[in-house]
Amino acid sequence: MSSVPQNKDELALAINTIFPKLMADYRAIPASLARQPGVEGNVKGTLISVSDTAAYLIGWGKLVLKWHHRKANNQHVDFPETGYKWNQLGSLADSFHQAYHDWEYEALLAELESTVSDIQLLIARLSDDELYGVAWYEQWTLGRMIQFNTSSPMKNMRTKVRRFYRTCC
């Protein structure tokens, strides 16, 4: 398997491989430190919290699910999200952090698990052709859009969470 999933099975495997490791890393962080800034943010020179990294993953996961739902129902999709353009992803990330700012750490992790479970169910429901056989957004397949916004950022966040853990715990 290449580092970039090329089919349904590889996409499912990519998520199923990284996500349990990431969750173990999240669970190793004490809730008392989960809101402490110390993780490199997505905007250069910023620091975010471990909770913010989970909010980021939830936000993108829910967007993927929203995109699919709207397209499947022949509704217009504002990519990446209503009110944001692709060159405003830092602001979009901040909106995810704000949306989950008041959530307790355990509830945030439960929401992340639920969101990833919904994405896994979506992948399981779709055929390989639906995921990788046709362009879905511009030149990108749905499978590639899912990967861009799930397994790839999960790997990135895992590196950041582990780095935070080594310095704090």
Side-chain angles (χ1 to χ4, degrees):
M1 178 175 97
S2 77
S3 63
V4 176
Q6 301 296 312
N7 60 49
K8 174 180 176 164
D9 291 339
E10 289 178 5
L11 178 60
L13 181 62
I15 294 170
N16 293 334
T17 299
I18 191 62
F19 187 65
K21 295 174 185 174
L22 176 62
M23 285 307 295
D25 294 334
Y26 276 134
R27 298 234 181 261
I29 303 291
S32 61
L33 298 177
R35 290 277 173 204
Q36 175 181 312
V39 177
E40 177 188 342
N42 293 314
V43 176
K44 187 176 177 130
T46 63
L47 290 179
I48 61 175
S49 70
V50 168
S51 291
D52 290 334
T53 68
Y56 178 87
L57 295 172
I58 293 166
W60 278 108
K62 288 193 175 295
L63 272 183
V64 166
L65 294 166
K66 176 182 173 181
W67 295 340
H68 179 266
H69 175 78
R70 291 189 65 84
K71 280 195 101 163
N73 288 295
N74 294 316
Q75 296 174 327
H76 175 73
V77 180
D78 287 328
F79 286 101
E81 174 61 307
T82 303
Y84 296 91
K85 300 199 179 316
W86 287 112
N87 65 353
Q88 298 174 309
L89 297 182
S91 296
L92 183 55
D94 287 342
S95 77
F96 299 149
H97 303 160
Q98 287 305 309
Y100 294 97
H101 185 265
D102 295 330
W103 286 48
E104 294 203 16
Y105 190 52
E106 280 304 314
L108 198 59
L109 297 183
E111 185 71 6
L112 178 57
E113 288 178 319
S114 174
T115 301
V116 172
S117 177
D118 289 346
I119 290 167
Q120 290 166 321
L121 290 171
L122 174 64
I123 293 167
R125 274 197 327 263
L126 297 172
S127 70
D128 199 54
D129 190 57
E130 289 170 304
L131 286 164
Y132 286 95
V134 295
W136 189 82
Y137 170 71
E138 295 183 354
Q139 77 269 25
W140 306 109
T141 65
L142 175 56
R144 193 76 159 109
M145 291 294 286
I146 293 171
Q147 179 257 320
F148 282 149
N149 297 292
T150 60
S151 63
S152 289
M154 285 177 194
K155 288 179 187 176
N156 184 31
M157 291 305 169
R158 182 167 189 239
T159 299
K160 292 178 179 189
V161 168
R162 291 172 64 84
R163 190 176 300 134
F164 176 83
Y165 180 80
R166 284 193 300 272
T167 62
C168 81
C169 306

